[in-house]
Amino acid sequence: MPLVVDIVTIFPEMFSPVLSVSMTGRAQQRGCLVVHLTNVRDHAPGRHRSTDDTPYGGGSGMVMRAEPLIAALEAIESARGRGHRVLLTPAGTLLTQALVRELARRPHLVLVCGRYEGVDERVSAYVDQEISIGDYVLSGGELAAMVIVDAVARLQPGVLHNEQSAAQESFEHGLLEYPQYTRPAVFRGADVPEVLLSGNHERIRRWRRQQALVRTRARRPDLFRQLVLSSEDEQLLREHDQRPQATTGEMEGTR
Ligand code: 6GU
């Protein structure tokens, strides 16, 4: 069964240039992902078909009107049933991989793109959840909706190759990825760590685990504090900290 994603937006033309290529494009071609776009304007009544209006109480900017948005949601429900409705807004719950996993289990998502000036508060009663993709301001929810489609599509069965699924597991376990290298073995004087050329799979596994731990500790202390370290992890960190100098990027941000 494909994941069905409905997107409610005043800019439907923004989506296909992004979603038709790369992983999301492949997912659609393989029938793992179906995207439907609904233009809010098509559901705005009256000759002017306006989707926004000035705010009650005054102030700058415009506010998205409830009526066309709710009419769009009802048209989608009539056509494809009641999906899980998400309003994209900077005031929403922060998106994390854990939330992505929850969303990816739903068969039908309805993503409602707000504008940064705001959406009539009464729309909240018609959605199941409000989500933000980070603490910065976008001019609309469209890019946030595409972020969600990408993140949930790659978790659908049959979309990724197996080795990528394994790679993704690492972040799912709360660690940043270890450093990766490909040919050449020396690039402008910078060489690949010797262990990766050794062919010793156990040494490589331990080095990668150590790098992931050291990186996470240095770059994302918030994630590191959440980890439950095994005795091997503790040993790898001790071993690293006893070495004369750091060469793994954990000094970043201290220069
Ligand atoms: Cl979902 N919308 C807007 N407008 N800005 C955002 C956002 C969403 N998430 C982070 N910034």
Side-chain angles (χ1 to χ4, degrees):
M1 261 231 309
L3 166 66
V4 178
V5 182
D6 270 282
I7 298 171
V8 178
T9 172
I10 58 170
F11 295 121
E13 67 277 15
M14 281 180 69
F15 289 85
S16 73
V18 173
L19 298 181
S20 67
V21 299
S22 188
M23 183 271 309
T24 47
R26 244 172 2 249
Q28 289 180 85
Q29 282 171 5
R30 290 185 194 168
C32 301
L33 169 68
V34 176
V35 178
H36 294 279
L37 295 164
T38 297
N39 191 336
V40 183
R41 188 170 276 275
D42 293 343
H43 297 272
R47 246 179 0 98
H48 298 292
R49 313 228 140 228
S50 69
T51 58
D52 57 9
D53 204 342
T54 53
Y56 276 119
S60 60
M62 299 289 274
V63 175
M64 278 184 102
R65 297 169 58 215
E67 188 176 9
L69 282 176
I70 303 313
L73 289 177
E74 286 169 352
I76 289 165
E77 180 165 353
S78 297
R80 285 177 289 285
R82 173 76 203 244
H84 183 70
R85 295 173 176 173
V86 176
L87 177 65
L88 284 318
T89 162
T93 307
L94 269 190
L95 186 68
T96 59
Q97 190 64 22
L99 181 47
V100 167
R101 259 181 267 129
E102 283 180 28
L103 294 172
R105 285 202 301 267
R106 309 226 177 233
H108 182 194
L109 295 173
V110 182
L111 306 180
V112 182
C113 304
R115 309 253 68 233
Y116 85 94
E117 298 96 334
V119 174
D120 189 303
E121 186 61 26
R122 291 166 291 190
V123 169
S124 292
Y126 295 81
V127 300
D128 301 303
Q129 196 167 21
E130 301 185 20
I131 294 179
S132 161
I133 62 163
D135 290 337
Y136 41 81
V137 181
L138 302 170
S139 45
E142 283 77 11
L143 290 168
M146 289 187 247
V147 164
I148 290 180
V149 173
D150 187 287
V152 299
R154 60 193 296 288
L155 298 185
Q156 299 305 305
V159 170
L160 283 192
H161 303 299
N162 280 334
E163 74 268 295
Q164 285 174 293
S165 315
Q168 151 216 315
E169 287 233 80
S170 173
F171 190 71
E172 298 234 342
H173 288 120
L175 278 176
L176 301 186
E177 270 304 319
Y178 51 77
Q180 297 270 29
Y181 297 85
T182 187
R183 288 184 289 183
V186 184
F187 173 70
R188 300 193 183 183
D191 47 16
V192 172
E194 169 276 323
V195 57
L196 298 179
L197 311 176
S198 70
N200 183 332
H201 297 295
E202 177 57 14
R203 266 190 79 208
I204 291 170
R205 182 195 66 76
R206 283 166 41 84
W207 182 85
R208 285 178 166 168
R209 181 78 191 174
Q210 183 178 55
Q211 290 294 310
L213 288 163
V214 167
R215 270 198 166 180
T216 306
R217 185 178 61 181
R219 300 181 186 186
R220 293 293 305 276
D222 57 319
L223 294 181
F224 189 76
R225 266 182 261 109
Q226 308 282 314
L227 290 174
V228 182
L229 299 178
S230 68
S231 50
E232 182 188 53
D233 291 340
E234 306 268 19
Q235 195 200 320
L236 289 169
L237 284 167
R238 271 196 307 274
E239 195 180 282
H240 173 273
D241 295 343
Q242 282 157 13
R243 281 204 328 241
Q245 86 230 0
T247 55
T248 55
E250 75 267 30
M251 297 302 283
E252 259 165 52
T254 66
R255 277 186 281 269

